[in-house]
Amino acid sequence: MVLENRWLRETYVDLLIEYAKQDERLVIVEADLMKAAGTTRFGETFPERTVNCGVQEANMIGVAAGMSAMGKIPFTHTFTPFSTRRVCDQVTLSVAYAGLNVKIMGSDPGVTAELNGGTHMSMEDVAIMRNIPGMIIYEPVDSAQLKKAFPQILEHYGPVYIRLLRRNAVQIFDDNTEFKLGKGIVLKEGKDVTILASGIMVAEALKAAQTLSAKGIDAEIINIHTIKPLDEELVLQSARKTGAVVTAENHSILNGLGGAVAEFLSENNPVPVQRVGVKDTFGEVGFTDFLKEKYGLTEKEIVLAAEKAIAMKR
């Protein structure tokens, strides 16, 4: 695992420009955060396909819905809390209920909002979007995964929420790795416990697997990049094999990845499930490493959760 030398937002904008050259329907709709998103480059390349609504997030979604109704494929962007809870009604009715094709990018998820603080630190954005019928929720780990997923997101007709870390990511995959929306990736096979991780928690899960191995515990590590729809087949297969499950996410443990896995397994294959994530609290100002420690988003918490799940199994 190495730190990528480019911010993920740069890859995102590169992809927007690349595919806009191929498909004239692709447009962007912004809420006065083009500098933060890096989409000023798109605006310079395609000024006629760039709409900046100003600090009017709800209006941004309405404009995007109207453009979709006219045959365009709009990509919207603002920080995660403003892409979800602030615009929940517009996303639900103007986009999802209307059956329109809007792609919604929420940047700086969870503790990665850092110095923007608690107001910009959404711990519930996945929970909000999970409850909207027809919504796909995708969280890439690194640029390789984002590159492979982007054309699939573009080709899919319907709303997609992209949970995107703007900054440097830990590189987990190489550019030749294939991904499919809705299908998890087994990073390491194991027999004692399943660890399902998303986003920045994938790197922590891989470190936890090494620590557990030194303790004689063989952990299976799976990257769940598409949180909705959940890869139920893979989750069920792994849970039946190991008999114990841990989820790890940069999000509240309520109604996010952990909630989705617990709901599914309780109805289909009840096994001990431990959820690593934020425990029903607001965020605060701080750097990511500090906040990960404060909110229990670390390798140490995953190891403890795995040991607890295994003990419950026994």
Side-chain angles (χ1 to χ4, degrees):
M1 296 183 295
V2 297
L3 191 66
E4 293 187 330
N5 58 12
R6 295 188 77 218
W7 283 25
L8 269 183
R9 72 175 185 186
E10 298 300 321
T11 300
Y12 174 71
V13 177
D14 286 347
L15 291 165
L16 285 173
I17 293 172
E18 176 186 349
Y19 283 91
K21 291 176 180 177
Q22 304 171 29
D23 192 335
E24 64 180 13
R25 297 174 299 165
L26 196 157
V27 297
I28 67 167
V29 188
E30 291 275 343
D32 207 31
L33 282 175
M34 292 183 67
K35 184 176 180 181
T39 49
T40 50
R41 287 196 292 120
F42 184 98
E44 291 165 358
T45 308
F46 300 104
E48 75 285 359
R49 290 155 69 177
T50 302
V51 178
N52 187 350
C53 295
V55 188
Q56 302 178 42
E57 293 87 355
N59 184 45
M60 173 185 71
I61 297 298
V63 169
M67 296 179 82
S68 173
M70 297 303 293
K72 303 298 183 182
I73 305 177
F75 282 73
T76 71
H77 162 258
T78 183
F79 296 134
T80 54
F82 314 133
S83 282
T84 56
R85 68 172 182 243
R86 180 169 290 180
V87 299
C88 183
D89 191 53
Q90 286 72 26
V91 171
T92 303
L93 295 180
S94 298
V95 177
Y97 184 76
L100 295 174
N101 186 28
V102 177
K103 318 305 180 186
I104 303 161
M105 198 269 268
S107 61
D108 291 359
V111 298
T112 65
E114 287 197 328
L115 302 184
N116 281 323
T119 57
H120 289 52
M121 201 166 289
S122 176
M123 309 298 191
E124 69 290 317
D125 56 303
V126 171
I128 292 168
M129 298 305 238
R130 270 192 72 214
N131 283 309
I132 298 177
M135 181 67 67
I136 287 178
I137 303 173
Y138 176 71
E139 183 171 21
V141 173
D142 58 19
S143 61
Q145 203 169 65
L146 179 59
K147 289 175 184 176
K148 293 290 186 178
F150 193 89
Q152 299 177 57
I153 291 170
L154 188 61
E155 291 166 10
H156 170 78
Y157 188 92
V160 179
Y161 175 53
I162 307 165
R163 201 173 194 249
L164 190 72
L165 172 69
R166 277 192 305 151
R167 296 171 175 79
N168 293 37
V170 174
Q171 187 172 357
I172 304 296
F173 301 101
D174 62 51
D175 287 339
N176 296 320
T177 308
E178 294 297 328
F179 306 96
K180 185 176 181 181
L181 282 180
K183 296 297 180 183
I185 302 290
V186 178
L187 298 174
K188 175 188 172 298
E189 294 190 355
K191 65 180 188 303
D192 297 324
V193 61
T194 299
I195 301 175
L196 305 164
S198 62
I200 63 171
M201 296 305 290
V202 174
E204 298 297 324
L206 288 169
K207 289 189 287 186
Q210 294 180 332
T211 303
L212 289 167
S213 179
K215 296 185 176 191
I217 297 173
D218 187 15
E220 181 150 290
I221 309 298
I222 298 175
N223 167 219
I224 301 293
H225 49 77
T226 309
I227 300 170
K228 183 185 179 184
L230 181 68
D231 187 349
E232 296 178 348
E233 181 181 2
L234 181 58
V235 170
L236 184 59
Q237 175 186 345
S238 185
R240 282 175 172 166
K241 177 170 66 171
T242 65
V245 172
V246 173
T247 61
E249 60 192 309
N250 174 30
H251 184 269
S252 171
I253 61 172
L254 303 176
N255 204 25
L257 173 61
V261 170
E263 290 163 11
F264 171 69
L265 289 177
S266 68
E267 294 180 345
N268 294 277
N269 187 59
V271 296
V273 176
Q274 291 294 312
R275 296 168 296 165
V276 174
V278 179
K279 308 296 194 298
D280 195 26
T281 187
F282 291 109
E284 64 177 64
V285 171
F287 291 111
T288 298
D289 287 343
F290 165 78
L291 294 170
K292 284 168 68 178
E293 287 284 346
K294 179 176 178 64
Y295 294 110
L297 307 178
T298 65
E299 165 204 357
K300 178 178 67 176
E301 296 296 331
I302 296 173
V303 169
L304 292 172
E307 292 174 331
K308 185 174 181 180
I310 292 170
M312 292 171 66
K313 175 174 61 172
R314 292 172 181 164

